[in-house]
Amino acid sequence: QVQLVESGGGLVQAGDSLRLSCAASGYTFSDWAMGWFRQAPGKQRELVATITSRGSTTYADSVKGRFTISRDNAKNTLYLQMNSLKPEDTALYSCARGYGRPTSSYANWGPGTQVTVSS
């Protein structure tokens, strides 16, 4: 079955960088879009970035110019490079697989990796 496992989170200071990874298994990773989501305490989960199977990307306005989503299909791994981190980026970050052609939904979220940015 589809399994996604995130890693790379941590406690950093404002202005620092982190790179998150998402290891995928149980399906043909290269065939499907992927997305990064985040959820802060007391807030709804929000979509941070997406990448199609062909590598086209989209970003939430709040992270444009600071975050970069990428994928390595040979390693079945999704990445999120986060630069110039801000305290408001603090959240649990999860990856998810896209469904539909074109992609219409995301599911199979991993357990997530915590990112905490101190001011």
Side-chain angles (χ1 to χ4, degrees):
Q1 71 273 20
V2 176
Q3 186 172 12
L4 301 172
V5 180
E6 304 89 345
S7 61
L11 172 62
V12 297
Q13 293 188 331
D16 286 351
S17 299
L18 279 175
R19 189 176 83 153
L20 306 184
S21 299
C22 167
S25 61
Y27 70 106
T28 305
F29 176 76
S30 59
D31 284 354
W32 299 96
M34 294 291 295
W36 280 104
F37 295 76
R38 67 185 181 186
Q39 187 167 20
K43 295 187 177 181
Q44 288 190 332
R45 181 168 54 205
E46 65 169 331
L47 179 60
V48 174
T50 68
I51 185 167
T52 68
S53 58
R54 296 184 177 184
S56 297
T57 58
T58 66
Y59 297 93
D61 287 344
S62 58
V63 306
K64 277 182 183 176
R66 300 188 298 122
F67 290 11
T68 302
I69 188 172
S70 62
R71 64 193 299 161
D72 185 335
N73 290 334
K75 295 182 178 180
N76 289 347
T77 302
L78 176 73
Y79 301 101
L80 185 68
Q81 177 66 44
M82 306 186 296
N83 298 329
S84 302
L85 282 162
K86 304 176 181 180
E88 51 263 44
D89 294 319
T90 295
L92 183 69
Y93 285 73
S94 302
C95 58
R97 174 194 152 171
Y99 284 86
R101 296 187 189 280
T103 302
S104 57
S105 63
Y106 290 86
N108 304 114
W109 285 272
T113 185
Q114 179 67 38
V115 173
T116 303
V117 184
S118 63
S119 58

